[in-house]
Amino acid sequence: RRVHGGLPNRVHMSQLVVGQELVGEPTVEEEKAPVEPETPKTTEQIDGRAEPVWQSSEGERCTCCGKLFSFINRRHHCRECGGLFCNTCCGNKMLLPHLKLTTPQRICLSCNFKLNPSLNPPAVIGKDFNVFSSAESVQKTTFRRIHLICNPFAGAKKGLATLAVVVPALQRAGIETVVVMTEYPGHAKELARTLDLKDALCALGGTGTVHEIVNGMMVRVDGRRVPLAIIPGGTNNALAWDMRIRSVEQACQALISGTTREIDILRMTRADSSSESVSYSINMVGWGLPSNTLKLANRSQIMAKVNSNMGQILLRENHEARVTFDDGTVKEGSLVMVQAQLNTMTGDMTPFCPSAKCDDGLLDLVLFWSTSLANSISILSKADKGEHIDQQVVELHQLKSFTLTPVGKSKTELMGESSTNMDGELVGWAPFTLTCVPKALTVVVGR
């Protein structure tokens, strides 16, 4: 059963369910286990770390989720911090050597997050670009009530552990948080489209989760849009990075401080007028190599991870396309890839468009023309520092819009539905027209 199977869609902070089982469903272990001792512990230095002072066992609610304790929903103390929690919020166990115990001990989700650095998004060193054209768009606001849409499967299912850190931090700052768990692909989009929005909408997940939320908010019947905050919890946190949100702690601080900016987004429409479909992107739109790489990865996750020759195989493929700029200029020929971005970073934290600005009303378009395999590999290796832009077969254009039309054999290979990579998902189509929508979204940013 999925992690959140059976959970209600909307969960207020005082009713938040965090974990892999429903509160109120006793485990076999709970039914047989004796009542835990209630004697408060005293602080004592052991191996340089202090044994925690236990919170009083007379508390009526779980410190994390706020669920009322009962005969079924029992009290448990975290052996690391001493807090009082329900089984769901204190179900993790790990060895705590400083307590001189040989068996794994109960710890709460917050301590699990603290003691396991792998739960934090990976740091990226030496990649910092100014993605704003000026400081004029900075605004300050106060958030009192927000919705937090959490993707519990994001970032190798670290969403729930991240949530256990975020909710208490926002609660202490006086921000009332209504948590909503996603249950299936596209659910975040539906929630953003239908929720009775509060002061802000917070996304806990990766760029894919943010993509869904923005697409939902942009098609709301009432036309209402609220600031978007991002808690980096996915494998792709490129937009959060460029918004100077580099950790969960920074995300909480940004929400509390209320610093926001207006940024552009990309709007994709069908160029063949076959329908009125519209989709929005907040990071990148890629055709050619970005599409094929994602197709292969989706087809075989194992192959995508272990086959070191995958990239070289895909680089041998050429893609015929005609690209028409907003001023009427036409570029046609054989391409390795076409990629447009609003911010500098792509999903693998590569500054593919190092000069991009999120608020200048322009998209950055990279045309990578076909060349030898050795040269293609050499050029892509330079992208890690943004130096690929200077190569002869790479063109960078700043435009308001452009149209891409597959030609030749690409009309059958990379045309139609699911042929274009949008924010790391194969949800785009071709042919398409991509337009920059100036300052269509307000986002919470870090310092």
Side-chain angles (χ1 to χ4, degrees):
R1 187 173 65 166
R2 300 185 74 176
V3 171
H4 46 271
L7 291 181
N9 287 348
R10 304 186 184 186
V11 188
H12 191 273
M13 186 164 60
S14 64
Q15 302 170 313
L16 175 62
V17 179
V18 184
Q20 295 192 357
E21 58 190 49
L22 296 177
V23 171
E25 293 183 359
T27 62
V28 174
E29 178 184 320
E30 284 182 311
E31 292 176 342
K32 296 181 179 180
V35 177
E36 294 183 341
E38 301 292 343
T39 306
K41 305 229 174 174
T42 58
T43 301
E44 179 183 356
Q45 290 294 328
I46 302 176
D47 294 340
R49 291 173 64 183
E51 184 177 351
V53 176
W54 282 13
Q55 182 180 339
S56 171
S57 299
E58 297 179 358
E60 296 182 352
R61 292 179 180 271
C62 172
T63 304
C64 177
C65 71
K67 187 72 175 180
L68 279 170
F69 293 122
S70 65
F71 177 76
I72 296 177
N73 189 37
R74 298 174 56 197
R75 296 170 173 82
H76 298 277
H77 281 97
C78 171
R79 269 51 171 185
E80 175 66 19
C81 68
L84 189 64
F85 304 93
C86 65
N87 179 67
T88 301
C89 298
C90 197
N92 296 294
K93 292 185 178 182
M94 69 179 300
L95 287 171
L96 301 174
H98 66 289
L99 297 182
K100 296 184 177 180
L101 298 173
T102 58
T103 57
Q105 300 296 304
R106 281 184 180 270
I107 57 172
C108 65
L109 287 171
S110 181
C111 288
N112 185 44
F113 190 92
K114 179 181 68 175
L115 297 174
N116 289 284
S118 62
L119 294 176
N120 286 291
V124 182
I125 307 300
K127 296 182 178 181
D128 207 356
F129 296 83
N130 180 17
V131 298
F132 297 105
S133 58
S134 70
E136 297 178 358
S137 61
V138 176
Q139 300 175 0
K140 296 286 287 186
T141 187
T142 300
F143 301 120
R144 297 299 184 194
R145 303 180 69 210
I146 68 170
H147 277 108
L148 191 157
I149 297 178
C150 173
N151 178 0
F153 295 110
K157 299 183 180 180
K158 299 172 185 174
L160 294 175
T162 305
L163 190 66
V165 175
V166 172
V167 173
L170 298 181
Q171 181 182 22
R172 289 191 295 270
I175 300 177
E176 180 184 351
T177 306
V178 178
V179 178
V180 190
M181 301 288 190
T182 61
E183 299 184 357
Y184 48 83
H187 193 195
K189 177 180 179 180
E190 181 66 18
L191 291 169
R193 186 181 67 85
T194 59
L195 283 173
D196 183 11
L197 298 179
K198 302 185 184 301
D199 297 338
L201 197 52
C202 183
L204 198 167
T207 300
T209 304
V210 179
H211 171 87
E212 286 192 17
I213 290 175
V214 170
N215 273 269
M217 192 156 52
M218 292 299 294
V219 296
R220 287 181 64 93
V221 175
D222 59 9
R224 190 180 177 205
R225 299 170 192 168
V226 296
L228 173 68
I230 305 172
I231 308 291
T235 53
N236 176 353
N237 301 301
L239 181 62
W241 178 268
D242 278 338
M243 297 299 106
R244 298 192 176 276
I245 303 293
R246 314 293 169 76
S247 68
V248 174
E249 289 73 19
Q250 285 183 341
C252 292
Q253 291 170 3
L255 257 171
I256 294 168
S257 66
T259 304
T260 64
R261 283 181 180 266
E262 293 180 330
I263 65 170
D264 309 333
I265 63 174
L266 297 174
R267 181 179 66 229
M268 174 183 283
T269 55
R270 296 183 185 271
D272 57 3
S273 301
S274 60
S275 72
E276 297 181 357
S277 298
V278 177
S279 188
Y280 296 90
S281 167
I282 40 80
N283 179 205
M284 59 78 67
V285 173
W287 183 87
L289 179 63
S291 304
N292 286 340
T293 303
L294 195 54
K295 283 183 179 180
L296 184 58
N298 290 345
R299 197 175 303 142
S300 174
Q301 293 293 333
I302 296 178
M303 181 178 180
K305 292 180 180 179
V306 305
N307 189 354
S308 59
N309 296 319
M310 182 184 69
Q312 295 187 22
I313 293 172
L314 294 176
L315 281 172
R316 294 179 185 274
E317 299 184 12
N318 297 322
H319 312 285
E320 302 289 331
R322 179 171 60 253
V323 182
T324 306
F325 298 169
D326 49 16
D327 64 357
T329 301
V330 177
K331 302 272 187 174
E332 183 171 339
S334 180
L335 293 140
V336 174
M337 61 184 291
V338 176
Q339 184 155 310
Q341 290 184 206
L342 289 171
N343 56 314
T344 60
M345 297 295 182
T346 57
D348 57 356
M349 302 306 292
T350 297
F352 203 75
C353 292
S355 61
K357 303 295 181 184
C358 291
D359 59 353
D360 62 356
L362 299 172
L363 59 84
D364 279 38
L365 174 64
V366 175
L367 301 179
F368 186 170
W369 298 99
S370 296
T371 183
S372 67
L373 174 61
N375 196 31
S376 293
I377 295 173
S378 174
I379 290 171
L380 288 180
S381 69
K382 300 177 186 296
D384 189 56
K385 296 182 179 180
E387 297 173 353
H388 60 295
I389 299 299
D390 303 324
Q391 306 306 304
Q392 186 174 2
V393 295
V394 178
E395 297 180 20
L396 173 63
H397 303 273
Q398 292 186 318
L399 310 165
K400 293 183 178 179
S401 68
F402 72 93
T403 297
L404 181 143
T405 305
V407 298
K409 66 176 183 178
S410 296
K411 293 180 69 175
T412 56
E413 296 175 354
L414 281 174
M415 192 166 178
E417 302 294 333
S418 302
S419 58
T420 303
N421 183 335
M422 293 188 73
D423 299 334
E425 303 290 338
L426 276 175
V427 294
W429 52 80
F432 63 81
T433 296
L434 199 66
T435 304
C436 178
V437 185
K439 298 183 177 179
L441 185 67
T442 299
V443 294
V444 177
V445 298
R447 297 179 179 178

